[in-house]
Amino acid sequence: GNFESAFGSGEIKEGSVTGSKLKANVTFNFQGQPLELALNGSVSDSELKGVLVPQMEGLPELAFSGIRG
């Protein structure tokens, strides 16, 4: 699948859903350089939330959320 954000876009790889939990790896284009992110989240009713964890030392985790509808 694809990943879109205000910072750029990427490709979602190796995703899985177990119950309400989701996990995936995202390859993201950050300032012209590929950056690997681990996506960890959960789904409940109409809400999706979680955290993107950069696989590069020194970069902070990024929280995300979304609402259907």
Side-chain angles (χ1 to χ4, degrees):
N2 294 315
F3 172 84
E4 299 281 334
S5 78
F7 301 107
S9 60
E11 182 180 356
I12 299 172
K13 301 178 184 178
E14 301 174 24
S16 66
V17 177
T18 305
S20 63
K21 303 290 183 188
L22 66 100
K23 290 184 175 189
N25 293 320
V26 178
T27 301
F28 183 72
N29 184 355
F30 181 70
Q31 298 180 348
Q33 300 295 319
L35 176 62
E36 296 290 326
L37 304 170
L39 183 149
N40 298 303
S42 62
V43 179
S44 63
D45 296 322
S46 60
E47 185 178 23
L48 168 68
K49 61 183 175 180
V51 62
L52 293 167
V53 182
Q55 302 301 293
M56 179 184 288
E57 192 172 319
L59 295 177
E61 294 183 354
L62 304 167
F64 69 86
S65 64
I67 299 173
R68 182 180 8 186

